[in-house]
């Protein structure tokens, strides 16, 4: 490792300021005299978008493997496979001379309308975090860096450069930061990329609380914070907030601003030095691994095919799939010939090759005769004659395979979706084909949920193919013909309709602000709380075999939060073909001091089973599996009490339930204050001891004054209510005010004395 300290000591102020902004769109500044090389970055996240001329403003990128996008990756629930994909991405980075790959993206899918949802993993922070850890570990194990993005709350494209996401601290911590936290603590990405948007009024690029207090100080992030491209408004404020590297560059004005700020004393040079150290550490780390070698495009294509096959989700199957023996197959839909396998925007990859779905079907279908009709146009026009042509083919076939891709004008980086719908032509096409051909299979290519209620009852099967990567066409054929057994499960809920979705009445915001009014309740947390039916629940997916769960067990019925507990369950393949099952563990808190979601995913495992085979799955639940973030204590908190552990095949399919008792080891500070209610005093262990005697007196006094318990009135008293129920929700001081005459001292003094007492206990 270079002696970074001595390099910093030799740098002029101008050089330090210059290092803090890119030399080009994709490179950092090199200093020959100091032996500081340039560092090259490239998008990400599901392939390497290495532009040919690294210093050009806009350029074609070199061929690289386009893996499936994040929606598909998360639906594999296979961390090892994603890690393997990370290793392959790193090999391509080494061959293409890329030091840092800009990904993964771990923002939550707050609404299915988010334009970039295809680049993000899930509506659940635990699952998203696990996926990110797998990908980062895979890439970085080969000496290539990653960029965890977009920190934080980049959950929509509408006004993404400026809108302020208004989120309370608990929701931030439990939902929007958790995946970042997991990835930082468990995988230490070399860089973290800030988001464009504001969070509670402050730009992501200037956010001291997020960048410095939480990311660097609390989580121990050792790498550098890079801006999203063009996300910096005020360079000096960003440096003070904790943003290290601004991209893209060069911008001489920025350098001058930083130099002037140090000279005027507005910016402490020690803070600039710390930024320079962080950047240099990563630049030198990047150069430890030589950029050389080649990669096997063929091997990576096959890996992309495997990932796609594991991530696709079989949503409906009336028994038609897997296909066997059909002699005449009508293939309908232009995405059968023009594969729709990735999304638009910065993640767009120049693939090494593309598996054309129609050709792949042909190679699986033996002697069967395949016919083709495009069914729908590339644009948004309505063309009845295309539907008529498709119907004629479907009618004379044994089975119709309908390839339906959500067009780019409906889904891309840069703009949000307006609805959950396929195009009118696509819906009419499905209806018309299903009408003449009951054996109709719909294969979807999209990055986020679409509504299906209008047509799903009429079709025999639905396969969610996602933005499936360059080899996805082959994966579809593998699944339809049973060469591979579907084993993906949804990483996000498919709602029945848009107006059911959690953020609906707070989307996409206006007047520069979007309020996260649903708080913790996104995804299944919301549908659970509302007891609302959905089209397909989180964690759902079919297989060509069946699985039974038995012998659920825990390592201890009663345990300390710091020890955690291990859950085991036997899973048996009860069908006749090999398959993989995804076992999910959710935790339900029976009683909590704060409102909590009905259940939350805290562990999962994917297990491969031959027919008849049984394996024991073991899942560890740690402190955080039971904790919630308490905004008043400003920390993660556990409470004594009973928790249900739900062992499930999906969020709506709980197979076994166990109850355990947690003992909290926390010694929380007392947070009672002048405004605390009687209920809060009595819920606090110290408050209860201190207030106990007075509480008994207050209760007696209340009964006396209002006749509660008097035989004339019964328990409800003279004013027809349970007085103590009301009193419990009043601040202590307010209750005492009403009883002043009977008290030995002034109510405010009494409360002050009690507070002094509890804070010293
Ligand atoms: C995107 C980032 C991307 C960057 C560089 C930005 O517009 O938000 O995800 O890494 O451009 O292309």
């Amino acid at each position: 490792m270079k002696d970074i300290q001595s390099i910093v000591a030799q740098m002029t102020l101008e050089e330090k300021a210059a290092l803090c902004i890119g030399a080009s769109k994709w490179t950092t500044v090199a200093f020959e005299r100091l032996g500081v090389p340039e560092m090259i970055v490239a998008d990400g996240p599901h392939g390497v978008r290495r532009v040919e001329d690294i210093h050009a403003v806009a350029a074609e990128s070199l061929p690289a493997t386009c893996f499936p996008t994040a929606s598909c990756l998360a639906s594999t629930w296979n961390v090892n496979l994603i890690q393997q994909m990370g290793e392959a991405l790193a090999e391509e980075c080494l061959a293409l001379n890329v030091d840092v790959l800009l990904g993964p993206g771990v923002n939550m899918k707050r609404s299915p309308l988010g334009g970039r949802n295809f680049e993000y993993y899930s509506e659940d922070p635990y699952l998203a975090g696990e996926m990110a850890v797998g990908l980062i570990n895979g890439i970085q194990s080969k000496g290539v860096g990653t960029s965890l993005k977009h920190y934080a709350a980049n959950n929509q494209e509408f006004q993404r450069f400026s809108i302020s996401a208004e989120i309370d601290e608990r929701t931030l911590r439990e939902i929007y930061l958790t995946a970042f936290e997991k990835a930082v603590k468990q995988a230490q990405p070399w860089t973290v990329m800030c988001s464009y948007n504001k969070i509670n009024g402050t730009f992501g690029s200037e956010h001291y609380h997020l960048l410095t207090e939480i990311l660097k100080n609390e989580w121990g992030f050792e790498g550098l914070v890079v801006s999203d491209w063009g996300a910096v408004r005020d360079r000096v404020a960003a440096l003070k907030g904790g943003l290290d590297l601004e991209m893209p560059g060069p911008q001489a004005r920025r350098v001058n601003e930083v130099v002037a700020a140090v000279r005027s004393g507005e910016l402490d040079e020690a803070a600039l030095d710390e930024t320079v150290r962080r950047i240099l550490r990563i630049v030198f780390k990047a150069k430890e691994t030589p950029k050389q070698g080649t990669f096997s495009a063929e091997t990576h294509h096959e890996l992309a095919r495997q990932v796609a096959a594991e991530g696709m989700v079989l949503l409906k199957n009336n028994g038609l799939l897997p296909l066997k023996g059909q002699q005449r197959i009508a293939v309908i839909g232009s995405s059968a010939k023009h594969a729709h396998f990735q999304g638009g925007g910065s993640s767009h990859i120049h693939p090494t090759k593309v598996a054309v779905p129609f050709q792949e079907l042909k190679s699986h279908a033996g002697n069967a005769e395949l016919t083709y009709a495009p069914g729908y146009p590339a644009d948004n026009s309505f063309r009845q004659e295309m539907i008529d042509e498709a119907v004629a083919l479907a009618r004379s076939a044994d089975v119709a395979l309908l390839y339906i891709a959500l067009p780019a004008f409906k889904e891309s980086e840069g703009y949000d979706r307006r609805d959950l719908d396929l195009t009118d032509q696509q819906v009419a096409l499905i209806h018309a084909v299903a009408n003449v051909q009951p054996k109709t299979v719909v294969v979807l290519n999209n990055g986020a949920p679409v509504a299906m209620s209008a047509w799903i009852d009429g079709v025999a099967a639905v396969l969610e193919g996602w933005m499936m990567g360059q080899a996805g066409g082959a994966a579809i054929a593998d699944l339809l013909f049973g060469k591979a057994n579907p084993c993906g499960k949804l990483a996000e809920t498919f709602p029945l309709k848009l107006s059911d979705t959690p953020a609906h009445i707070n989307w996409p915001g206006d007047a520069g602000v979007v309020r996260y009014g649903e708080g913790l309740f996104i995804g299944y947390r919301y549908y659970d709380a509302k007891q609302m039916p959905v089209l397909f629940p989180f964690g759902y997916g079919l297989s060509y075999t069946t699985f039974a769960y038995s012998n659920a067990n825990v390592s201890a019925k009663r345990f300390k939060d710091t020890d955690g507990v291990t859950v085991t369950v036997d899973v048996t393949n009860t069908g006749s073909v090999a398959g993989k099952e995804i076992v999910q563990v959710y935790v339900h808190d029976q009683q909590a001091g704060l409102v909590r979601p009905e259940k939350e995913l805290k562990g999962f495992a994917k297990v491969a089973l031959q027919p008849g085979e049984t394996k024991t799955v073991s899942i560890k639940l740690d402190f955080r599996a039971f904790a919630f973030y308490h905004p008043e204590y400003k920390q993660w908190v556990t409470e004594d009490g009973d928790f249900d552990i739900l062992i499930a095949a999906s969020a709506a399919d709980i197979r076994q339930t166990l109850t355990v008792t947690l003992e909290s080891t926390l010694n929380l500070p007392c947070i009672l204050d002048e405004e605390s209610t009687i209920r809060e005093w009595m819920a606090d262990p110290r408050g209860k001891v201190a207030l106990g005697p007075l509480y008994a007196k207050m209760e007696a006094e209340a009964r006396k004054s209002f006749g509660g318990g008097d035989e004339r009135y019964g328990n409800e008293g003279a004013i027809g209510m349970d007085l103590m129920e009301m009193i419990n929700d009043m601040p202590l001081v307010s209750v005492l005010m009403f009883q002043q005459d009977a008290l030995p001292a002034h109510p405010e003094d009494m409360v002050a004395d009690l507070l002094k007492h509890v804070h010293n206990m």
Side-chain angles (χ1 to χ4, degrees):
M1 197 37 131
K2 286 270 172 184
D3 183 356
I4 289 172
Q5 204 57 40
S6 90
I7 296 177
V8 178
Q10 293 169 58
M11 289 174 87
T12 64
L13 177 57
E14 286 74 9
E15 284 170 335
K16 291 177 191 172
L19 186 68
C20 298
I21 185 156
S24 72
K25 202 169 174 208
W26 307 110
T27 55
T28 59
V29 176
F31 298 101
E32 233 175 273
R33 96 176 168 86
L34 300 165
V36 175
E38 74 174 4
M39 182 171 80
I40 301 174
V41 303
D43 278 311
H46 44 262
V48 185
R49 191 167 68 94
R50 168 64 154 87
V51 296
E52 220 163 339
D53 178 355
I54 207 80
H55 299 283
V57 177
E60 272 281 298
S61 61
L62 298 166
T65 309
C66 180
F67 286 91
T69 80
S71 313
C72 182
L73 303 184
S75 302
T76 68
W77 299 63
N78 188 337
V79 179
N80 291 337
L81 185 62
I82 301 312
Q83 180 157 347
Q84 237 178 293
M85 172 183 147
E87 289 164 16
L89 286 170
E91 280 173 23
E92 300 196 11
C93 286
L94 294 176
L96 296 171
N97 191 14
V98 169
D99 295 308
V100 173
L101 188 68
L102 301 175
V106 290
N107 295 92
M108 290 293 96
K109 304 192 189 198
R110 176 175 175 244
S111 163
L113 295 181
R116 281 187 103 165
N117 280 14
F118 72 89
E119 278 187 72
Y120 295 144
Y121 292 119
S122 180
E123 66 189 24
D124 181 85
Y126 181 86
L127 178 56
E130 286 287 308
M131 289 296 134
V133 167
L135 196 81
I136 295 168
N137 280 339
I139 296 174
Q140 294 193 170
S141 70
K142 300 259 177 188
V144 174
T146 56
S147 196
L148 185 66
K149 61 192 189 181
H150 307 88
Y151 185 71
N154 170 226
N155 308 108
Q156 62 184 57
E157 296 300 272
F158 174 74
Q159 297 185 354
R160 70 164 157 156
F161 287 87
S162 58
I163 204 157
S164 178
E166 304 284 315
I167 316 174
D168 66 87
E169 185 75 12
R170 182 176 174 209
T171 300
L172 251 183
R173 299 285 193 146
E174 288 189 28
I175 303 293
Y176 294 98
L177 298 190
T178 298
F180 288 98
E181 178 184 6
K182 195 180 231 314
V184 167
K185 288 183 174 168
Q186 294 179 19
Q188 279 290 349
W190 293 8
T191 80
V192 167
M193 188 190 293
C194 78
S195 59
Y196 286 124
N197 51 280
K198 300 188 192 104
I199 303 95
N200 296 327
T202 303
F203 278 111
S205 57
E206 298 173 12
H207 216 292
Y208 185 78
H209 181 50
L210 287 177
L211 300 180
T212 300
E213 289 181 340
I214 296 181
L215 175 66
K216 291 181 177 175
N217 296 348
E218 208 181 300
W219 298 345
F221 173 59
E222 294 163 5
L224 67 87
V225 177
V226 59
S227 74
D228 199 343
W229 268 231
V232 174
R233 296 291 164 84
D234 179 333
R235 186 61 186 102
V236 175
L239 271 167
K240 286 182 177 171
L243 183 116
D244 302 303
L245 175 64
E246 178 181 358
M247 288 300 281
Q251 295 185 54
R253 211 176 104 194
R254 291 294 209 220
V255 179
N256 297 340
E257 282 165 10
V258 174
V259 169
V262 172
R263 294 233 164 93
S264 72
E266 192 197 343
L267 181 69
D268 189 354
E269 189 161 358
L272 181 61
D273 286 352
E274 168 58 16
T275 285
V276 168
R277 264 194 298 274
R278 277 187 183 262
I279 297 173
L280 288 178
R281 226 177 54 76
I282 298 302
V283 168
F284 285 118
K285 193 174 176 135
K287 298 302 167 190
E288 280 168 18
T289 310
K291 300 293 167 310
Q292 61 189 27
T294 53
F295 65 91
S296 162
E298 226 16 79
T299 311
H300 290 184
H301 184 81
E302 280 310 304
L303 179 60
R305 174 184 188 157
Q306 194 189 337
V307 175
E310 282 222 11
M312 290 183 185
V313 182
L314 184 61
L315 295 174
K316 176 176 178 178
N317 185 15
N318 71 358
L320 175 62
L321 296 181
L323 300 173
K324 44 192 157 323
Q326 285 84 1
Q327 284 312 302
R328 287 166 308 162
I329 302 177
V331 182
I332 295 162
S334 67
S335 52
K337 290 248 169 124
H338 308 280
H340 182 62
F341 59 92
Q342 61 175 329
S346 57
S347 68
H348 207 81
I349 301 300
H350 175 178
T352 56
K353 69 173 191 180
V354 177
V356 177
F358 185 81
Q359 298 307 332
E360 299 295 333
L361 285 175
K362 261 196 158 157
S363 69
H364 282 67
N367 307 328
E369 179 204 341
L370 265 66
T371 53
Y372 169 77
Y376 53 89
D379 61 11
N380 205 9
S381 60
F382 195 90
R383 304 266 300 275
Q384 184 61 43
E385 75 283 7
M386 293 181 82
I387 296 179
D388 297 342
E389 181 198 11
V391 165
L393 286 193
R395 188 180 277 128
S396 60
D398 301 330
V399 63
L401 306 180
L402 260 176
Y403 283 72
I404 304 287
L406 199 63
F409 61 79
K410 274 187 161 274
E411 181 181 30
S412 168
E413 178 182 345
Y415 41 88
D416 291 320
R417 297 164 73 199
R418 294 203 174 91
D419 51 54
L420 302 180
D421 303 328
L422 299 172
T423 67
D424 291 347
Q425 169 103 9
Q426 288 170 334
V427 173
L429 174 72
I430 298 173
H431 275 299
V433 169
N435 220 10
V436 299
Q437 179 49 270
K439 291 185 175 169
T440 290
V441 180
V442 173
V443 177
L444 294 165
N445 286 121
N446 46 297
V450 292
M452 301 181 204
S453 303
W455 51 263
I456 191 163
D457 289 344
V459 302
V462 180
L463 178 68
E464 177 51 80
W466 305 117
M467 290 181 177
M468 56 193 179
Q470 67 179 48
I476 294 173
D478 291 343
L479 292 168
L480 294 183
F481 284 93
K483 192 174 156 200
N485 188 351
C487 61
K489 291 191 178 185
L490 296 177
E492 60 197 293
T493 311
F494 274 44
L496 282 165
K497 57 184 189 301
L498 181 58
S499 57
D500 288 351
T501 58
H504 188 61
I505 59 172
N506 285 303
W507 178 275
D510 49 29
V513 165
V514 51
R515 275 182 207 86
Y516 285 34
E518 70 288 349
L520 306 168
F521 298 92
I522 65 165
Y524 65 87
R525 288 165 171 80
Y526 179 79
Y527 301 106
D528 273 355
K530 299 282 284 188
Q531 300 185 353
M532 202 182 255
V534 297
L535 180 61
F536 297 111
F538 176 83
Y540 166 88
L542 301 173
S543 164
Y544 296 148
T545 186
T546 47
F547 301 98
Y549 292 53
S550 59
N551 298 328
N553 219 333
V554 271
S555 54
K557 287 257 180 247
R558 173 177 279 277
F559 65 99
K560 287 200 171 61
D561 54 5
T562 42
D563 295 338
V565 73
T566 299
V567 185
T568 51
V569 65
D570 290 347
V571 185
T572 305
N573 181 345
T574 48
S576 55
V577 289
K580 290 184 184 171
E581 171 66 332
I582 297 161
V583 180
Q584 300 152 46
V585 173
Y586 298 86
V587 173
H588 163 74
D589 192 350
Q590 289 193 1
Q591 205 189 352
L594 299 183
V595 171
R596 296 193 74 176
E598 175 66 20
K599 64 174 182 291
E600 297 186 274
L601 181 77
K602 297 297 175 183
F604 63 86
K606 190 165 193 175
V607 56
L609 294 163
Q610 293 300 319
E613 191 184 7
T614 299
K615 280 184 187 160
T616 303
V617 168
S618 172
I619 292 166
K620 167 94 189 174
L621 299 175
D622 61 8
F623 177 94
R624 281 290 284 273
F626 301 94
F628 55 91
Y629 188 85
H630 201 302
E632 287 177 277
Y633 291 115
K634 297 189 179 5
Q635 71 177 80
W636 290 89
V637 162
T638 52
E639 293 175 333
D640 289 342
D642 291 346
F643 291 79
D644 295 326
I645 296 176
L646 315 171
I647 302 168
S650 85
D653 186 3
I654 313 296
R655 299 292 182 89
Q656 308 237 290
T657 301
L658 300 161
T659 301
V660 292
T661 306
L662 177 139
E663 285 173 40
S664 177
T665 54
L666 293 178
N667 186 11
L668 294 169
C670 182
I671 51 168
L672 293 171
D673 63 20
E674 290 76 8
E675 293 304 325
S676 297
T677 64
I678 304 281
R679 202 185 296 281
E680 287 166 339
W681 276 86
M682 296 304 282
D684 182 286
R686 281 161 285 208
K688 191 172 177 179
V689 171
L691 188 64
L694 187 58
Y695 184 83
K697 268 196 215 147
M698 281 178 347
E699 194 168 18
E701 188 62 31
R703 294 207 189 291
K704 201 167 84 202
S705 334
F706 289 93
D710 185 306
E711 59 188 25
R712 282 173 301 162
Y713 306 117
N715 277 336
E716 288 171 1
I719 54 173
M721 68 190 297
D722 184 334
L723 201 64
M724 284 318 286
E725 273 299 317
M726 178 178 81
I727 283 179
N728 279 335
D729 279 317
M730 291 168 67
L732 174 57
V733 71
S734 310
V735 179
L736 296 179
M737 287 287 187
F738 287 108
Q739 302 183 345
Q740 293 207 40
D741 299 345
L743 298 176
H746 191 276
E748 281 170 13
D749 297 335
M750 286 179 71
V751 173
D753 279 351
L754 276 170
L755 281 173
K756 208 182 282 167
H757 183 51
V758 288
H759 285 289
N760 288 328
M761 273 169 112

